[in-house]
Amino acid sequence: MDLDIVFLGTSGSVPTARRGLAGTLVRRGGDRILVDCGEGTQRQLLRSSVGLVELQEIFLTHYHADHYLGLPGMLKTFALRGRELPLTVYGPPGLKDLFGVLRRIFGKLTYDVELRELRPGEALERGDHRIFAFAVEHGVTSNGYCLIEEPRPGRFDVETARKLGLPQGPLFGRLQAGETVELPGGGSVAPEQVLGPPRAGRKIVLAGDTRPGREVLEAARDADVLVHEATFASEEGARAEETLHATAAGAAELAKAAGVKMLALTHLSNRYFGPEIAREARAVFAETVVPRDFDIIDVRFPERGGPRLVKGGALGKREEADSHGGDGSGGDGGGPRGGRGDSDDPELGRHPVGARAGGRAPSDAAR
């Protein structure tokens, strides 16, 4: 089953010309789960190859404005299109109070919206996978979310099955599903006779806004992909501590300790370019990428190569992909290759969006 992560907004606190506010779409099979809905998220979806699909579930990590201000407009758009399909919105405690205010903005809807407040440790069981909330450290009630698949059956040994007298066909599938089957000529074959050891499912973790805390570390252990914020570089370590945000190096240290396969850094302050953040993180944890808007991480099974970054993979047909270099922030689907920077980014050392001449941009709001 396909599993990927579409980055719709990768800027922190304020948008830039190239990065929108927080919005991440998880696609698993036919499921579409939006995590956070910053201002402009519906337009990002419309610009993308995904389109503004009738999402059935939206998860909010916390209630700072840059993570939910796009929600009222999206809900209203769905209503204007005559939507009837119910929608469930999940979030930490306080969600119902938030909607008490937002309803004045989006008004009457043509469909039902169910609000479900999730506390750390609560899980949504989905049969072959589950989604659970975990606490993060951000100064306000906040959740991170982890999607973890159940273990898969081991590899099916076709040669052994044939030697045991099994005809190729439906019996193979039943054995792979864990069922003992009867042989046409008598006798039976148990799954353990033809299956190798169980194989782990995939695990992705979206931490939201947080400092690199123990709760994130425990949730992220052995994850295929950890999506973690990196609002600041180490030069602003004191500011990161003050606002309960993370530095690129701090997130990389956590990823290394957790044994994740890939770290994806988002929520960048507008004072930084992707290459700066990528270089700092990769000095600690080499398998770090800094996605740009419309990049995708394809979360493949380990035997198929593991996670890989697909730069510009969600750009719509009418959108022209920017040419990217090898900094892991946007094109050829390869892994980390060192921070050469984007070929189209302003030269490092020049002023990023929002920066003032002669210095860095003003300090970000404590979000």
Side-chain angles (χ1 to χ4, degrees):
M1 180 176 289
D2 291 339
L3 174 65
D4 66 19
I5 305 168
V6 182
F7 295 89
L8 299 169
T10 56
S11 184
S13 301
V14 297
T16 72
R18 297 196 175 189
R19 293 183 184 269
L21 292 177
T24 307
L25 186 71
V26 176
R27 302 188 294 185
R28 183 179 184 274
D31 294 339
R32 301 290 183 267
I33 299 171
L34 181 65
V35 179
D36 285 330
C37 189
E39 177 187 352
T41 297
Q42 66 170 317
R43 186 168 186 272
Q44 294 290 82
L45 281 165
L46 287 165
R47 291 180 61 196
S48 78
S49 58
V50 180
L52 186 55
V53 296
E54 292 202 346
L55 299 162
Q56 296 186 48
E57 296 182 306
I58 298 174
F59 288 74
L60 299 180
T61 58
H62 64 292
Y63 307 129
H64 282 157
D66 57 323
H67 289 257
Y68 73 80
L69 273 184
L71 190 55
M74 180 182 288
L75 297 179
K76 190 64 178 179
T77 296
F78 286 150
L80 291 171
R81 297 197 314 196
R83 173 179 174 142
E84 296 179 354
L85 184 71
L87 171 70
T88 304
V89 181
Y90 301 88
L95 179 64
K96 293 177 182 178
D97 291 339
L98 174 67
F99 264 70
V101 175
L102 294 183
R103 287 188 191 281
R104 302 175 187 174
I105 301 172
F106 59 74
K108 185 176 181 180
L109 301 177
T110 58
Y111 54 94
D112 292 331
V113 176
E114 180 184 0
L115 305 177
R116 293 192 57 182
E117 296 184 347
L118 294 177
R119 288 172 171 75
E122 290 190 274
L124 304 172
E125 298 293 341
R126 302 291 171 85
D128 62 350
H129 71 285
R130 67 185 186 277
I131 301 171
F132 70 85
F134 59 91
V136 301
E137 299 180 47
H138 192 48
V140 296
T141 304
S142 304
N143 286 343
Y145 298 104
C146 175
L147 184 152
I148 183 166
E149 296 177 331
E150 293 299 317
R152 297 171 291 147
R155 286 188 176 277
F156 189 86
D157 189 333
V158 176
E159 283 302 313
T160 298
R162 287 173 176 162
K163 289 177 181 177
L164 291 170
L166 274 169
Q168 189 164 349
L171 294 181
F172 280 21
R174 288 167 60 187
L175 281 163
Q176 287 177 303
E179 182 182 342
T180 297
V181 301
E182 301 297 324
L183 292 169
S188 63
V189 177
E192 56 268 23
Q193 292 178 262
V194 293
L195 295 179
R199 295 171 292 174
R202 293 161 293 185
K203 178 180 179 180
I204 60 174
V205 177
L206 297 96
D209 285 10
T210 179
R211 65 180 297 275
R214 178 169 297 278
E215 293 85 353
V216 182
L217 174 65
E218 294 303 322
R221 288 200 184 278
D222 301 319
D224 292 87
V225 180
L226 167 62
V227 181
H228 199 289
E229 68 132 287
T231 306
F232 299 103
S234 291
E235 64 186 32
E236 291 278 1
R239 179 66 173 156
E241 284 293 323
E242 176 189 347
T243 59
L244 295 178
H245 277 296
T247 64
E253 288 166 358
L254 184 146
K256 182 177 181 180
V260 307
K261 294 181 179 67
M262 177 181 281
L263 170 66
L265 296 178
T266 62
H267 204 268
L268 274 61
S269 166
N270 64 354
R271 68 189 66 190
Y272 300 113
F273 299 122
E276 296 175 87
I277 296 300
R279 281 196 291 268
E280 177 175 304
R282 286 183 190 153
V284 178
F285 184 71
E287 295 304 313
T288 301
V289 295
V290 183
R292 295 174 68 173
D293 293 8
F294 306 112
D295 286 354
I296 291 174
I297 292 179
D298 182 11
V299 190
R300 302 175 297 183
F301 288 111
E303 63 268 23
R304 296 183 180 178
R308 64 174 181 139
L309 181 71
V310 182
K311 300 178 183 178
L315 282 168
K317 292 181 180 179
R318 296 182 182 179
E319 296 289 342
E320 185 175 340
D322 293 331
S323 59
H324 295 330
D327 72 335
S329 58
D332 62 5
R337 302 182 185 179
R340 289 189 289 108
D342 289 341
S343 59
D344 56 352
D345 266 343
E347 185 178 340
L348 295 183
R350 290 170 59 188
H351 308 304
V353 176
R356 296 175 296 184
R360 293 287 187 184
S363 295
D364 299 79
R367 296 185 176 184

